[in-house]
Coordinates of all heavy atoms in Angstrom, one line a residue:
M1 N 9.1 -115.7 -72.0 CA 9.6 -115.0 -70.8 C 9.1 -113.6 -70.9 O 9.3 -112.9 -71.9 CB 11.1 -115.1 -70.7 CG 11.6 -114.5 -69.4 SD 13.4 -115.0 -69.3 CE 13.9 -114.0 -68.0
R2 N 8.6 -113.0 -69.7 CA 8.1 -111.7 -69.7 C 9.3 -110.7 -69.6 O 10.2 -110.9 -68.8 CB 7.2 -111.5 -68.6 CG 5.9 -112.2 -68.8 CD 5.1 -112.3 -67.5 NE 4.9 -111.0 -66.9 CZ 4.0 -110.8 -66.0 NH1 3.2 -111.8 -65.6 NH2 3.8 -109.7 -65.4
P3 N 9.3 -109.6 -70.3 CA 10.3 -108.6 -70.2 C 10.2 -107.9 -68.8 O 9.1 -107.9 -68.2 CB 10.1 -107.6 -71.3 CG 8.7 -107.9 -71.7 CD 8.3 -109.3 -71.4
P4 N 11.3 -107.4 -68.2 CA 11.2 -106.8 -66.9 C 10.2 -105.6 -66.8 O 9.7 -105.4 -65.7 CB 12.6 -106.3 -66.7 CG 13.5 -106.8 -67.8 CD 12.6 -107.4 -68.8
H5 N 10.0 -104.9 -67.9 CA 9.0 -103.8 -67.7 C 7.6 -104.2 -67.7 O 6.7 -103.4 -67.5 CB 9.2 -102.8 -68.9 CG 8.9 -103.4 -70.2 ND1 9.8 -104.1 -71.0 CD2 7.7 -103.4 -70.9 CE1 9.1 -104.5 -72.1 NE2 7.9 -104.1 -72.1
D6 N 7.3 -105.5 -67.8 CA 6.0 -106.1 -67.7 C 5.6 -106.6 -66.3 O 4.7 -107.3 -66.1 CB 5.9 -107.2 -68.7 CG 4.4 -107.5 -69.1 OD1 3.6 -106.6 -69.0 OD2 4.2 -108.6 -69.6
L7 N 6.4 -106.2 -65.3 CA 6.1 -106.6 -63.9 C 4.8 -106.0 -63.5 O 4.4 -104.9 -63.9 CB 7.3 -106.1 -63.0 CG 8.6 -106.8 -63.3 CD1 9.7 -106.1 -62.5 CD2 8.6 -108.3 -63.0
P8 N 4.2 -106.7 -62.5 CA 2.9 -106.1 -62.0 C 3.1 -104.8 -61.3 O 4.2 -104.6 -60.7 CB 2.4 -107.2 -61.1 CG 3.5 -108.1 -60.8 CD 4.5 -107.9 -61.9
E9 N 2.1 -104.0 -61.3 CA 2.1 -102.7 -60.6 C 2.3 -103.0 -59.1 O 1.7 -103.9 -58.5 CB 0.9 -101.9 -60.8 CG 0.7 -101.4 -62.2 CD 1.6 -100.1 -62.4 OE1 1.6 -99.3 -61.4 OE2 2.2 -100.0 -63.4
P10 N 3.1 -102.2 -58.4 CA 3.1 -102.3 -56.9 C 1.7 -101.9 -56.3 O 1.0 -101.1 -56.9 CB 4.2 -101.4 -56.5 CG 4.4 -100.4 -57.6 CD 3.9 -101.1 -58.8
P11 N 1.4 -102.4 -55.1 CA 0.1 -102.0 -54.6 C 0.1 -100.6 -54.2 O 1.1 -99.9 -54.0 CB 0.0 -102.9 -53.3 CG 1.4 -103.3 -53.0 CD 2.2 -103.3 -54.3
H12 N -1.1 -100.0 -54.2 CA -1.3 -98.6 -53.9 C -1.5 -98.5 -52.4 O -1.9 -99.4 -51.7 CB -2.6 -98.1 -54.5 CG -2.5 -98.0 -56.0 ND1 -3.2 -98.9 -56.8 CD2 -1.9 -97.2 -56.8 CE1 -2.9 -98.7 -58.1 NE2 -2.1 -97.6 -58.1
Q13 N -1.1 -97.3 -51.9 CA -1.3 -97.1 -50.4 C -2.7 -96.5 -50.2 O -3.2 -95.8 -51.0 CB -0.3 -96.1 -49.9 CG 1.0 -96.7 -49.5 CD 1.7 -95.9 -48.5 OE1 2.0 -94.8 -48.7 NE2 2.0 -96.5 -47.3
V14 N -3.3 -97.0 -49.1 CA -4.6 -96.4 -48.7 C -4.4 -96.0 -47.2 O -3.4 -96.4 -46.6 CB -5.7 -97.5 -48.8 CG1 -6.0 -97.9 -50.2 CG2 -5.4 -98.7 -48.0
S15 N -5.4 -95.3 -46.7 CA -5.3 -94.9 -45.3 C -6.7 -95.1 -44.7 O -7.7 -95.0 -45.4 CB -4.8 -93.5 -45.1 OG -5.7 -92.6 -45.7
F16 N -6.7 -95.4 -43.4 CA -8.0 -95.5 -42.7 C -7.8 -95.0 -41.3 O -6.7 -94.8 -40.8 CB -8.5 -97.0 -42.7 CG -7.6 -97.9 -42.0 CD1 -7.8 -98.3 -40.7 CD2 -6.5 -98.5 -42.6 CE1 -7.0 -99.2 -40.0 CE2 -5.7 -99.4 -42.0 CZ -5.9 -99.8 -40.7
R17 N -8.9 -94.8 -40.6 CA -8.9 -94.2 -39.2 C -8.9 -95.4 -38.3 O -9.7 -96.3 -38.4 CB -10.1 -93.3 -38.9 CG -10.2 -92.1 -39.9 CD -9.2 -91.1 -39.7 NE -9.1 -90.6 -38.3 CZ -8.2 -89.8 -37.9 NH1 -7.3 -89.3 -38.7 NH2 -8.1 -89.4 -36.6
F18 N -8.1 -95.4 -37.2 CA -8.2 -96.3 -36.1 C -8.3 -95.4 -34.9 O -7.3 -94.9 -34.4 CB -7.0 -97.2 -36.0 CG -7.1 -98.2 -34.9 CD1 -8.0 -99.2 -34.9 CD2 -6.2 -98.1 -33.9 CE1 -8.1 -100.1 -33.9 CE2 -6.3 -99.0 -32.8 CZ -7.2 -100.0 -32.8
G19 N -9.5 -95.2 -34.4 CA -9.7 -94.2 -33.3 C -9.3 -92.9 -33.8 O -9.8 -92.4 -34.9
D20 N -8.4 -92.2 -33.2 CA -7.9 -90.9 -33.6 C -6.7 -90.9 -34.5 O -6.2 -89.9 -35.0 CB -7.5 -90.1 -32.3 CG -8.7 -89.8 -31.4 OD1 -9.9 -89.8 -32.0 OD2 -8.5 -89.6 -30.2
E21 N -6.2 -92.1 -34.8 CA -5.0 -92.3 -35.6 C -5.3 -92.5 -37.1 O -6.3 -93.2 -37.4 CB -4.2 -93.5 -35.1 CG -3.5 -93.3 -33.8 CD -2.7 -94.6 -33.5 OE1 -1.8 -94.9 -34.2 OE2 -3.1 -95.2 -32.5
E22 N -4.5 -92.0 -37.9 CA -4.5 -92.2 -39.3 C -3.5 -93.4 -39.6 O -2.3 -93.2 -39.3 CB -4.2 -91.0 -40.1 CG -4.3 -91.1 -41.6 CD -5.8 -90.9 -42.0 OE1 -6.6 -90.4 -41.2 OE2 -6.1 -91.2 -43.2
I23 N -4.0 -94.5 -40.2 CA -3.1 -95.6 -40.4 C -2.9 -95.8 -41.9 O -3.9 -95.8 -42.7 CB -3.7 -96.9 -39.8 CG1 -4.0 -96.8 -38.4 CG2 -2.9 -98.1 -40.2 CD1 -2.9 -96.8 -37.4
E24 N -1.7 -95.9 -42.3 CA -1.3 -96.1 -43.7 C -1.2 -97.6 -44.0 O -0.7 -98.4 -43.1 CB 0.0 -95.5 -44.1 CG 0.1 -94.0 -43.9 CD -0.7 -93.3 -45.0 OE1 -0.8 -93.8 -46.1 OE2 -1.3 -92.2 -44.7
A25 N -1.7 -98.1 -45.1 CA -1.7 -99.5 -45.4 C -1.6 -99.7 -46.9 O -1.7 -98.8 -47.7 CB -3.0 -100.2 -44.9
W26 N -1.3 -100.9 -47.3 CA -1.2 -101.3 -48.7 C -2.5 -101.9 -49.1 O -3.1 -102.7 -48.4 CB -0.1 -102.3 -48.9 CG 1.3 -101.8 -48.6 CD1 2.1 -102.2 -47.6 CD2 2.0 -100.8 -49.4 NE1 3.3 -101.5 -47.6 CE2 3.3 -100.6 -48.7 CE3 1.8 -100.1 -50.5 CZ2 4.2 -99.8 -49.1 CZ3 2.7 -99.2 -51.0 CH2 4.0 -99.1 -50.3
E27 N -3.0 -101.5 -50.3 CA -4.2 -102.0 -50.9 C -4.1 -103.6 -50.9 O -3.0 -104.1 -51.3 CB -4.3 -101.5 -52.3 CG -5.7 -101.8 -52.9 CD -5.7 -101.2 -54.3 OE1 -5.2 -100.1 -54.5 OE2 -6.3 -101.9 -55.2
G28 N -5.1 -104.3 -50.4 CA -5.1 -105.7 -50.3 C -4.6 -106.3 -49.0 O -4.8 -107.5 -48.7
E29 N -4.1 -105.4 -48.2 CA -3.6 -105.8 -46.8 C -4.8 -106.0 -45.9 O -5.9 -105.3 -46.1 CB -2.7 -104.8 -46.3 CG -2.0 -105.1 -45.0 CD -0.9 -104.0 -44.7 OE1 -1.0 -102.9 -45.2 OE2 -0.1 -104.3 -43.8
T30 N -4.7 -106.8 -44.8 CA -5.8 -106.8 -43.9 C -5.7 -105.7 -42.8 O -4.6 -105.2 -42.6 CB -5.8 -108.2 -43.2 OG1 -4.7 -108.3 -42.3 CG2 -5.9 -109.4 -44.1
V31 N -6.8 -105.4 -42.2 CA -6.8 -104.4 -41.1 C -5.8 -104.8 -40.0 O -5.0 -104.0 -39.5 CB -8.2 -104.3 -40.5 CG1 -8.2 -103.4 -39.3 CG2 -9.1 -103.7 -41.6
A32 N -5.8 -106.1 -39.7 CA -4.9 -106.6 -38.6 C -3.4 -106.4 -39.0 O -2.7 -105.9 -38.1 CB -5.2 -108.1 -38.3
T33 N -3.0 -106.8 -40.2 CA -1.6 -106.6 -40.5 C -1.2 -105.1 -40.6 O -0.1 -104.7 -40.2 CB -1.2 -107.3 -41.8 OG1 -2.1 -106.9 -42.9 CG2 -1.4 -108.8 -41.6
A34 N -2.1 -104.3 -41.1 CA -1.9 -102.9 -41.1 C -1.7 -102.3 -39.7 O -0.8 -101.5 -39.5 CB -3.0 -102.1 -41.9
L35 N -2.6 -102.7 -38.8 CA -2.4 -102.2 -37.4 C -1.1 -102.7 -36.8 O -0.4 -102.0 -36.2 CB -3.7 -102.7 -36.6 CG -5.0 -102.0 -37.0 CD1 -6.1 -102.7 -36.2 CD2 -4.9 -100.5 -36.7
L36 N -0.8 -104.0 -37.0 CA 0.4 -104.5 -36.4 C 1.6 -103.8 -37.0 O 2.6 -103.5 -36.2 CB 0.5 -106.1 -36.6 CG -0.5 -106.9 -35.8 CD1 -0.5 -108.3 -36.3 CD2 -0.2 -106.9 -34.3
A37 N 1.6 -103.6 -38.3 CA 2.7 -102.9 -38.9 C 2.9 -101.5 -38.4 O 4.0 -100.9 -38.4 CB 2.6 -102.9 -40.4
S38 N 1.8 -100.9 -37.9 CA 1.8 -99.5 -37.4 C 2.1 -99.5 -35.9 O 2.0 -98.5 -35.2 CB 0.5 -98.8 -37.6 OG 0.3 -98.7 -39.0
G39 N 2.3 -100.7 -35.3 CA 2.7 -100.8 -33.9 C 1.5 -100.9 -33.0 O 1.6 -100.9 -31.7
V40 N 0.3 -101.1 -33.5 CA -0.9 -101.3 -32.7 C -1.1 -102.8 -32.4 O -1.3 -103.6 -33.3 CB -2.2 -100.8 -33.4 CG1 -3.4 -101.1 -32.6 CG2 -2.1 -99.3 -33.8
M41 N -0.9 -103.2 -31.1 CA -1.0 -104.6 -30.7 C -2.4 -104.9 -30.1 O -2.7 -106.0 -30.0 CB 0.1 -104.9 -29.7 CG 1.5 -104.6 -30.3 SD 1.8 -105.6 -31.7 CE 3.5 -105.6 -31.7
I42 N -3.0 -103.9 -29.6 CA -4.3 -104.1 -28.8 C -5.4 -103.6 -29.6 O -5.5 -102.4 -30.0 CB -4.2 -103.4 -27.4 CG1 -3.1 -104.0 -26.6 CG2 -5.5 -103.5 -26.7 CD1 -2.8 -103.3 -25.3
T43 N -6.4 -104.5 -30.0 CA -7.5 -104.1 -30.8 C -8.8 -104.1 -30.0 O -9.9 -103.7 -30.5 CB -7.7 -105.0 -32.0 OG1 -7.7 -106.4 -31.5 CG2 -6.5 -104.9 -33.0
G44 N -8.7 -104.5 -28.7 CA -10.0 -104.5 -28.0 C -9.7 -105.0 -26.5 O -8.6 -105.2 -26.1
V45 N -10.8 -105.1 -25.8 CA -10.8 -105.5 -24.4 C -11.8 -106.6 -24.3 O -12.9 -106.5 -24.8 CB -11.1 -104.3 -23.5 CG1 -11.2 -104.8 -22.1 CG2 -10.1 -103.2 -23.7
R46 N -11.4 -107.7 -23.6 CA -12.4 -108.7 -23.3 C -13.5 -108.2 -22.4 O -13.2 -107.6 -21.4 CB -11.7 -109.9 -22.6 CG -10.8 -110.6 -23.6 CD -10.2 -111.9 -22.9 NE -9.3 -112.6 -23.9 CZ -8.0 -112.3 -23.9 NH1 -7.5 -111.5 -23.1 NH2 -7.3 -112.9 -24.8
A47 N -14.7 -108.5 -22.8 CA -15.9 -107.9 -22.1 C -16.0 -108.4 -20.7 O -16.3 -107.7 -19.8 CB -17.2 -108.3 -22.9
M48 N -15.7 -109.7 -20.5 CA -15.9 -110.2 -19.1 C -14.7 -109.9 -18.2 O -14.9 -109.5 -17.0 CB -16.1 -111.8 -19.2 CG -17.2 -112.1 -20.1 SD -18.8 -111.3 -19.6 CE -19.4 -112.4 -18.4
S49 N -13.5 -110.1 -18.6 CA -12.3 -109.9 -17.8 C -11.7 -108.5 -17.8 O -11.0 -108.1 -16.9 CB -11.2 -110.9 -18.1 OG -10.7 -110.6 -19.4
G50 N -12.0 -107.8 -18.9 CA -11.4 -106.5 -19.0 C -10.0 -106.5 -19.5 O -9.3 -105.5 -19.6
R51 N -9.4 -107.7 -19.8 CA -8.0 -107.8 -20.3 C -7.9 -107.4 -21.8 O -8.9 -107.6 -22.5 CB -7.6 -109.2 -20.1 CG -7.5 -109.6 -18.6 CD -7.1 -111.0 -18.4 NE -5.7 -111.1 -18.7 CZ -5.0 -112.2 -18.6 NH1 -5.6 -113.3 -18.2 NH2 -3.7 -112.2 -18.9
S52 N -6.8 -106.9 -22.1 CA -6.5 -106.5 -23.5 C -6.5 -107.7 -24.4 O -6.1 -108.8 -24.0 CB -5.2 -105.8 -23.6 OG -5.2 -104.7 -22.7
R53 N -6.8 -107.5 -25.7 CA -6.7 -108.6 -26.7 C -6.2 -108.0 -28.0 O -6.4 -106.8 -28.2 CB -7.9 -109.4 -26.8 CG -9.1 -108.6 -27.2 CD -10.3 -109.5 -27.4 NE -11.5 -108.7 -27.6 CZ -11.8 -108.0 -28.7 NH1 -10.9 -108.0 -29.7 NH2 -12.8 -107.2 -28.8
G54 N -5.7 -108.8 -28.8 CA -5.2 -108.3 -30.1 C -5.0 -109.5 -31.1 O -5.2 -110.7 -30.7
P55 N -4.7 -109.2 -32.3 CA -4.6 -110.3 -33.3 C -3.7 -111.4 -32.8 O -2.6 -111.1 -32.3 CB -4.0 -109.6 -34.5 CG -4.4 -108.2 -34.4 CD -4.4 -107.9 -32.9
Y56 N -4.1 -112.7 -33.0 CA -3.3 -113.8 -32.6 C -3.1 -114.8 -33.7 O -2.0 -115.1 -34.1 CB -4.0 -114.5 -31.4 CG -3.3 -115.6 -30.8 CD1 -2.1 -115.5 -30.1 CD2 -3.9 -116.9 -30.9 CE1 -1.4 -116.6 -29.6 CE2 -3.2 -118.0 -30.4 CZ -2.0 -117.9 -29.8 OH -1.3 -118.9 -29.3
C57 N -4.2 -115.4 -34.2 CA -4.0 -116.5 -35.2 C -3.8 -115.9 -36.6 O -3.2 -116.5 -37.4 CB -5.2 -117.4 -35.2 SG -6.7 -116.8 -35.9
L58 N -4.4 -114.8 -36.9 CA -4.3 -114.1 -38.2 C -5.0 -114.9 -39.3 O -4.7 -114.7 -40.5 CB -2.9 -113.7 -38.6 CG -2.3 -112.7 -37.6 CD1 -0.8 -112.4 -38.0 CD2 -3.1 -111.4 -37.6
I59 N -5.8 -115.9 -39.0 CA -6.5 -116.7 -40.0 C -8.0 -116.8 -39.8 O -8.7 -117.6 -40.3 CB -5.9 -118.1 -40.2 CG1 -5.9 -118.9 -38.9 CG2 -4.5 -118.0 -40.8 CD1 -5.5 -120.3 -39.0
G60 N -8.5 -115.9 -38.9 CA -10.0 -115.9 -38.7 C -10.5 -116.9 -37.8 O -11.8 -117.1 -37.7
V61 N -9.7 -117.5 -37.0 CA -10.2 -118.6 -36.1 C -10.4 -118.2 -34.7 O -11.4 -118.5 -34.0 CB -9.2 -119.8 -36.2 CG1 -9.7 -120.9 -35.2 CG2 -9.2 -120.4 -37.6
C62 N -9.5 -117.4 -34.1 CA -9.5 -117.2 -32.6 C -10.4 -116.0 -32.2 O -10.8 -116.0 -31.0 CB -8.1 -116.9 -32.1 SG -7.4 -115.3 -32.6
H63 N -10.8 -115.1 -33.0 CA -11.7 -114.0 -32.7 C -11.0 -113.0 -31.7 O -11.7 -112.2 -31.1 CB -13.0 -114.4 -32.3 CG -13.9 -115.1 -33.3 ND1 -13.6 -116.3 -33.9 CD2 -15.0 -114.6 -34.0 CE1 -14.4 -116.6 -34.8 NE2 -15.3 -115.6 -34.9
E64 N -9.7 -113.1 -31.6 CA -9.1 -112.1 -30.7 C -8.9 -110.7 -31.3 O -8.6 -109.8 -30.6 CB -7.7 -112.7 -30.3 CG -7.7 -113.9 -29.4 CD -8.3 -113.5 -28.0 OE1 -7.8 -112.5 -27.4 OE2 -9.2 -114.1 -27.5
C65 N -9.2 -110.6 -32.6 CA -9.0 -109.4 -33.3 C -10.3 -108.6 -33.5 O -10.3 -107.7 -34.4 CB -8.3 -109.6 -34.6 SG -9.3 -110.6 -35.7
L66 N -11.4 -108.9 -32.8 CA -12.6 -108.3 -33.1 C -12.5 -106.8 -32.9 O -12.0 -106.3 -31.9 CB -13.7 -108.8 -32.2 CG -14.1 -110.3 -32.4 CD1 -15.2 -110.7 -31.5 CD2 -14.5 -110.5 -33.9
V67 N -13.0 -106.0 -33.9 CA -13.1 -104.6 -33.9 C -14.4 -104.1 -34.5 O -15.2 -104.9 -35.0 CB -11.9 -104.0 -34.7 CG1 -10.6 -104.2 -34.1 CG2 -11.9 -104.5 -36.2
E68 N -14.6 -102.8 -34.3 CA -15.8 -102.2 -35.0 C -15.3 -101.6 -36.3 O -14.3 -100.9 -36.3 CB -16.4 -101.1 -34.1 CG -17.1 -101.6 -32.9 CD -17.7 -100.5 -32.1 OE1 -18.1 -99.5 -32.7 OE2 -17.7 -100.6 -30.9
I69 N -15.9 -101.9 -37.4 CA -15.5 -101.3 -38.7 C -16.8 -100.6 -39.3 O -17.8 -101.2 -39.5 CB -15.0 -102.4 -39.6 CG1 -13.7 -103.0 -39.1 CG2 -14.7 -101.8 -41.0 CD1 -13.1 -104.1 -39.9
D70 N -16.6 -99.3 -39.5 CA -17.7 -98.5 -40.1 C -19.0 -98.7 -39.3 O -20.1 -98.9 -39.9 CB -17.9 -98.8 -41.6 CG -16.7 -98.3 -42.4 OD1 -16.0 -97.3 -41.9 OD2 -16.4 -98.8 -43.4
G71 N -18.9 -98.8 -38.0 CA -20.1 -98.9 -37.1 C -20.6 -100.3 -36.9 O -21.5 -100.5 -36.1
L72 N -20.0 -101.3 -37.6 CA -20.4 -102.7 -37.4 C -19.5 -103.4 -36.4 O -18.3 -103.4 -36.6 CB -20.4 -103.5 -38.7 CG -21.6 -103.4 -39.6 CD1 -21.3 -104.2 -40.9 CD2 -22.8 -103.8 -38.9
A73 N -20.1 -103.9 -35.3 CA -19.3 -104.6 -34.3 C -18.9 -106.0 -34.8 O -19.4 -106.5 -35.8 CB -20.1 -104.7 -33.0
N74 N -18.0 -106.6 -34.0 CA -17.6 -108.0 -34.2 C -17.0 -108.4 -35.6 O -17.3 -109.4 -36.1 CB -18.8 -109.0 -33.9 CG -19.4 -108.8 -32.6 OD1 -18.7 -108.6 -31.6 ND2 -20.7 -108.7 -32.5
Q75 N -16.2 -107.5 -36.1 CA -15.6 -107.7 -37.4 C -14.2 -108.2 -37.1 O -13.4 -107.6 -36.3 CB -15.5 -106.4 -38.2 CG -16.9 -105.8 -38.4 CD -17.8 -106.7 -39.2 OE1 -17.5 -107.2 -40.3 NE2 -18.9 -107.0 -38.6
R76 N -13.8 -109.3 -37.7 CA -12.4 -109.8 -37.6 C -11.4 -109.0 -38.4 O -11.5 -109.1 -39.6 CB -12.4 -111.3 -37.9 CG -13.1 -112.2 -36.9 CD -13.2 -113.6 -37.3 NE -14.2 -113.7 -38.3 CZ -14.5 -114.8 -38.9 NH1 -13.9 -115.9 -38.7 NH2 -15.5 -114.8 -39.8
A77 N -10.6 -108.3 -37.7 CA -9.6 -107.5 -38.4 C -8.6 -108.3 -39.3 O -8.1 -107.8 -40.3 CB -8.8 -106.7 -37.4
C78 N -8.4 -109.6 -39.0 CA -7.4 -110.4 -39.7 C -8.0 -110.9 -41.0 O -7.2 -111.4 -41.8 CB -6.9 -111.5 -38.8 SG -8.1 -112.8 -38.5
I79 N -9.3 -110.8 -41.3 CA -9.8 -111.3 -42.6 C -10.5 -110.2 -43.3 O -11.2 -110.4 -44.3 CB -10.7 -112.5 -42.4 CG1 -11.9 -112.3 -41.5 CG2 -9.9 -113.7 -41.9 CD1 -12.9 -113.4 -41.5
T80 N -10.4 -109.0 -42.8 CA -11.0 -107.8 -43.4 C -10.0 -107.0 -44.2 O -9.0 -106.6 -43.6 CB -11.8 -106.9 -42.4 OG1 -12.7 -107.7 -41.7 CG2 -12.5 -105.8 -43.1
T81 N -10.2 -106.8 -45.5 CA -9.2 -106.0 -46.3 C -9.5 -104.5 -46.0 O -10.6 -104.1 -46.0 CB -9.4 -106.4 -47.8 OG1 -9.3 -107.8 -47.9 CG2 -8.4 -105.7 -48.6
V82 N -8.4 -103.8 -46.0 CA -8.5 -102.4 -45.7 C -9.1 -101.7 -46.9 O -9.0 -102.1 -48.1 CB -7.1 -101.7 -45.5 CG1 -6.5 -102.2 -44.2 CG2 -6.2 -101.9 -46.6
R83 N -9.9 -100.6 -46.7 CA -10.5 -99.8 -47.7 C -10.1 -98.3 -47.3 O -10.0 -98.0 -46.2 CB -12.0 -99.9 -47.7 CG -12.5 -101.3 -48.2 CD -14.0 -101.4 -48.3 NE -14.7 -100.9 -47.1 CZ -14.9 -101.6 -46.0 NH1 -14.6 -102.9 -46.0 NH2 -15.5 -101.1 -45.0
Q84 N -10.0 -97.5 -48.3 CA -9.7 -96.1 -48.1 C -10.8 -95.5 -47.3 O -12.0 -95.7 -47.5 CB -9.6 -95.4 -49.5 CG -9.3 -93.9 -49.4 CD -7.9 -93.6 -48.9 OE1 -7.0 -94.4 -49.2 NE2 -7.8 -92.5 -48.2
N85 N -10.4 -94.8 -46.2 CA -11.3 -94.0 -45.4 C -12.2 -94.8 -44.5 O -13.1 -94.3 -43.9 CB -12.1 -93.0 -46.2 CG -11.3 -92.0 -46.9 OD1 -10.2 -91.6 -46.4 ND2 -11.7 -91.6 -48.1
M86 N -12.0 -96.1 -44.3 CA -12.8 -96.9 -43.4 C -12.5 -96.4 -42.0 O -11.4 -95.9 -41.7 CB -12.5 -98.4 -43.6 CG -11.2 -98.9 -43.1 SD -10.8 -100.6 -43.6 CE -12.2 -101.5 -43.3
K87 N -13.5 -96.6 -41.1 CA -13.3 -96.2 -39.7 C -13.3 -97.4 -38.8 O -14.3 -98.2 -38.8 CB -14.4 -95.3 -39.3 CG -14.3 -93.9 -40.0 CD -15.4 -93.0 -39.5 CE -15.3 -91.6 -40.1 NZ -15.1 -91.6 -41.6
V88 N -12.2 -97.7 -38.2 CA -12.0 -98.8 -37.3 C -11.9 -98.4 -35.9 O -11.2 -97.4 -35.6 CB -10.7 -99.6 -37.7 CG1 -10.6 -100.9 -36.9 CG2 -10.8 -100.0 -39.2
C89 N -12.5 -99.1 -35.0 CA -12.4 -98.7 -33.5 C -12.2 -100.0 -32.7 O -12.6 -101.1 -33.1 CB -13.8 -98.1 -33.0 SG -14.3 -96.6 -33.8
R90 N -11.5 -99.8 -31.6 CA -11.3 -100.9 -30.6 C -12.7 -101.3 -30.2 O -13.6 -100.4 -29.9 CB -10.5 -100.4 -29.5 CG -9.0 -100.3 -29.8 CD -8.2 -100.2 -28.5 NE -6.8 -100.3 -28.9 CZ -6.0 -99.3 -29.1 NH1 -6.4 -98.1 -28.9 NH2 -4.7 -99.5 -29.4
Q91 N -12.9 -102.6 -30.0 CA -14.1 -103.1 -29.4 C -13.9 -103.3 -27.9 O -13.1 -104.2 -27.6 CB -14.6 -104.3 -30.1 CG -16.0 -104.7 -29.8 CD -16.5 -105.7 -30.8 OE1 -16.6 -105.4 -31.9 NE2 -16.9 -106.9 -30.3
T92 N -14.6 -102.6 -27.1 CA -14.3 -102.6 -25.7 C -15.4 -103.2 -24.8 O -15.3 -103.1 -23.6 CB -13.9 -101.2 -25.2 OG1 -15.0 -100.3 -25.5 CG2 -12.7 -100.7 -25.9
R93 N -16.5 -103.6 -25.4 CA -17.6 -104.2 -24.6 C -18.3 -105.3 -25.4 O -18.1 -105.4 -26.6 CB -18.5 -103.1 -24.2 CG -19.1 -102.4 -25.3 CD -19.9 -101.1 -24.7 NE -20.2 -100.2 -25.8 CZ -21.4 -100.1 -26.3 NH1 -22.4 -100.8 -25.9 NH2 -21.7 -99.3 -27.3
L94 N -19.1 -106.1 -24.7 CA -19.8 -107.1 -25.4 C -20.8 -106.6 -26.4 O -21.5 -105.6 -26.1 CB -20.6 -107.9 -24.3 CG -21.0 -109.3 -24.6 CD1 -19.9 -110.2 -25.1 CD2 -21.7 -109.9 -23.4
R95 N -20.8 -107.2 -27.6 CA -21.7 -106.7 -28.6 C -22.6 -107.9 -29.1 O -22.2 -109.0 -29.1 CB -20.9 -106.2 -29.8 CG -20.1 -105.0 -29.5 CD -21.0 -103.9 -29.0 NE -20.3 -102.7 -28.7 CZ -20.2 -101.6 -29.5 NH1 -20.9 -101.6 -30.6 NH2 -19.5 -100.6 -29.1
P96 N -23.8 -107.6 -29.5 CA -24.7 -108.6 -30.0 C -24.1 -109.2 -31.3 O -23.3 -108.5 -32.0 CB -26.0 -107.9 -30.3 CG -25.8 -106.5 -30.1 CD -24.5 -106.3 -29.5
L97 N -24.4 -110.5 -31.6 CA -23.8 -111.1 -32.8 C -24.6 -111.0 -34.0 O -24.3 -111.5 -35.1 CB -23.6 -112.6 -32.5 CG -22.6 -113.0 -31.4 CD1 -22.6 -114.5 -31.1 CD2 -21.2 -112.5 -31.8
T98 N -25.6 -110.1 -34.0 CA -26.5 -110.0 -35.1 C -25.9 -109.1 -36.2 O -26.5 -109.1 -37.3 CB -27.8 -109.3 -34.7 OG1 -27.5 -108.1 -34.1 CG2 -28.6 -110.2 -33.7
G99 N -24.8 -108.4 -36.0 CA -24.3 -107.5 -37.0 C -24.7 -106.1 -36.7 O -23.8 -105.3 -36.6
E100 N -25.9 -105.8 -36.6 CA -26.4 -104.5 -36.3 C -26.3 -104.3 -34.8 O -26.6 -105.2 -34.0 CB -27.8 -104.3 -36.7 CG -28.0 -104.1 -38.2 CD -27.3 -102.8 -38.7 OE1 -27.3 -101.8 -38.0 OE2 -26.6 -102.9 -39.7
D101 N -25.9 -103.2 -34.3 CA -25.7 -102.9 -32.9 C -26.6 -101.8 -32.5 O -26.4 -100.7 -32.7 CB -24.2 -102.6 -32.6 CG -24.0 -102.4 -31.1 OD1 -24.9 -102.6 -30.3 OD2 -22.8 -102.1 -30.8
E102 N -27.7 -102.2 -31.8 CA -28.7 -101.2 -31.3 C -28.2 -100.3 -30.3 O -28.7 -99.3 -30.0 CB -29.9 -101.9 -30.7 CG -30.5 -103.1 -31.3 CD -29.7 -104.4 -31.1 OE1 -29.4 -104.8 -30.0 OE2 -29.4 -105.0 -32.2
T103 N -27.1 -100.8 -29.6 CA -26.6 -100.0 -28.5 C -25.5 -98.9 -28.9 O -25.0 -98.2 -28.1 CB -25.9 -100.9 -27.4 OG1 -24.8 -101.5 -28.0 CG2 -26.9 -101.9 -26.9
R104 N -25.2 -98.9 -30.3 CA -24.2 -98.0 -30.8 C -24.6 -96.6 -30.5 O -25.7 -96.1 -30.7 CB -24.0 -98.2 -32.3 CG -22.9 -97.4 -32.8 CD -22.7 -97.7 -34.3 NE -23.9 -97.2 -35.0 CZ -24.1 -97.5 -36.2 NH1 -23.4 -98.3 -36.9 NH2 -25.2 -97.0 -36.8
E105 N -23.6 -95.8 -30.0 CA -23.8 -94.4 -29.7 C -23.9 -93.7 -31.1 O -23.2 -94.0 -32.0 CB -22.7 -93.8 -28.9 CG -22.6 -94.4 -27.5 CD -21.4 -95.1 -27.2 OE1 -20.3 -94.8 -27.8 OE2 -21.5 -96.1 -26.4
Q106 N -24.8 -92.7 -31.1 CA -25.0 -91.9 -32.4 C -24.0 -90.8 -32.4 O -23.7 -90.2 -31.5 CB -26.4 -91.4 -32.5 CG -27.4 -92.6 -32.5 CD -27.3 -93.5 -33.8 OE1 -27.0 -93.0 -34.9 NE2 -27.4 -94.8 -33.6
Ligands
FES1 S1 -6.5 -113.0 -35.2 FE1 -7.6 -114.8 -34.8 S2 -9.5 -114.4 -35.8 FE2 -8.4 -112.6 -36.2

């Protein structure tokens, strides 16, 4: 039996940018859970209808949580682990599926 002082270290806190907001998260947490815990429910807008969308399945299936992360479009927030100082943005328009986005503003 392990003694009580041999418990695992608690996770460290990290922070990342979501638009203009600074979001605090736990190391190992996903972007989607960090955003939801911070009260952010809307991660983007549907390109065709213009309706809001946000994390739904949280297992990488529905693609409702697509965001831009460090300039890369079409990233699923629910399966992406937070990193210190990463930059996350709402995805508000249709993006190519190639990963690189030639239309990205500089
Ligand atoms: S919430 Fe469904 S894929 Fe991310």
